[in-house]
Each structure stands twice: as structure tokens, then as C-alpha cells.
Amino acid sequence: MLSKRLYQIVLLFLILAFTSNVSAADAPTEAPDFSAPDLSGTVRTLSAYRGRIVILNFWATWCPECIREIPSLNAFAETNKDVVVLGIASERNPETVRNFRAGSNPNYPVIVDTTGDVFVKKYLVRALPNTVIVDRKGFIAERLFGAENFQSKSFQEKIQRLRDAK
């Protein structure tokens, strides 16, 4: 019998194997609005950030790839103050994320999606990590599947194109 952690890892890799990168450029889709508290209790509503570029980073404490990308997302958030970065953790217990966060130190707000409403119902996230870039008009500009280097030239260029768009 597989342990819970091994089961989660196997499931993650199976999902990744059957998921392809899809650019929102094919069909502009409005980013589903949500309202949820972050770990400090501040309610975050996506529509409140209209007019700004928003990075939604879907992750979980049990996901090694998710954990690996936190330092580059921290660095991105630190040097790109004009872009809103929100971490959305898939966990049933916010305390698990609080304890994890104490060791990994994400420097951006982290929402805990205990019900799966944002993950499953609104954004149809099937693989982790998963990053959704929302443009200033509130449309999904791009979905990125798998670990991302947020400091890479290609990622920086994606954000710059959104900055340049009027």
C-alpha cells in the first residue's frame, strides 16, 4: 500500500504527464474572481487588483516542485512591486501552511484554499505547481504548468509585454 505522500507524488506526476501548456492567447478568458482570506486574515479579492498584473501561484506544501520555485518567486515579488503576487495553497488545514511558511518564508500573501473552490471550481487546476498570469484588464494572459523560474529572461519578458500593453 502506498503512503499518503508517495500517493500524492505519483498522482502529481500522472497529472503532469497528461496536461499540456495552453496559452490564453488562443481564447482570452476572464480570470474568475474570488474572495478569500490570506494567512494574516486579510481578505484578498482578485477584482480589487484590476488595473495591475497579478501572478496567481497555485501550490501545496507536499509538492517538491512548488517548494523549489518559492525562492525565485520571492525574488520576483521583491523586485517587481508593481506586480501583485498571490500564493494559493491547496491544504485542508491553514495551520499546515502557517507551519510550512515559517520555514520557507514566502514574502507574498498566501491564501489557503481549504475547500478547493479557487483551485478546482474557478481555475480548474489539475497539476502543481500551476501559475496563472492575469493581465491588467482581468483576463488570463497565460497559464504555466510545472516549476517556473520567475527570474528567467523568458518570464521577465512575458511580464514586460503585459506592462507595455495598454
Side-chain angles (χ1 to χ4, degrees):
M1 183 169 193
L2 293 175
S3 72
K4 182 179 177 184
R5 181 164 171 78
L6 182 57
Y7 173 76
Q8 291 170 333
I9 291 170
V10 169
L11 182 61
L12 174 67
F13 285 114
L14 287 174
I15 290 170
L16 285 173
F18 293 103
T19 306
S20 62
N21 274 345
V22 177
S23 172
D26 298 335
T29 303
E30 190 168 355
D33 197 15
F34 62 84
S35 184
D38 64 20
L39 286 173
S40 71
T42 302
V43 175
R44 305 288 174 161
T45 303
L46 181 62
S47 58
Y49 300 112
R50 186 69 48 97
R52 296 182 68 189
I53 299 164
V54 180
I55 309 272
L56 302 175
N57 181 252
F58 294 90
W59 66 286
T61 60
W62 51 262
C63 168
E65 294 285 323
C66 301
I67 295 164
R68 213 169 295 133
E69 70 180 6
I70 289 173
S72 78
L73 189 53
N74 274 344
F76 177 86
E78 194 63 37
T79 59
N80 294 274
K81 299 288 188 189
D82 63 317
V83 177
V84 175
V85 176
L86 296 175
I88 304 175
S90 173
E91 298 290 341
R92 296 205 186 277
N93 183 352
E95 201 57 38
T96 302
V97 180
R98 274 190 196 88
N99 292 337
F100 172 84
R101 187 171 180 214
S104 68
N105 296 321
N107 62 2
Y108 43 86
V110 175
I111 293 166
V112 182
D113 187 16
T114 59
T115 64
D117 184 56
V118 179
F119 258 79
V120 179
K121 294 177 185 172
K122 296 190 184 262
Y123 283 87
L124 308 173
V125 173
R126 293 183 228 140
L128 295 175
N130 189 312
T131 301
V132 176
I133 304 171
V134 180
D135 69 17
R136 292 178 182 173
K137 295 178 182 175
F139 286 90
I140 295 175
E142 193 152 354
R143 290 184 80 118
L144 306 169
F145 301 98
E148 184 68 34
N149 177 356
F150 298 97
Q151 294 299 102
S152 72
K153 183 178 179 183
S154 65
F155 187 82
Q156 296 290 333
E157 287 171 350
K158 289 174 198 213
I159 298 304
Q160 191 57 49
R161 280 194 297 275
L162 292 174
R163 283 182 178 123
D164 294 344
K166 299 294 176 201

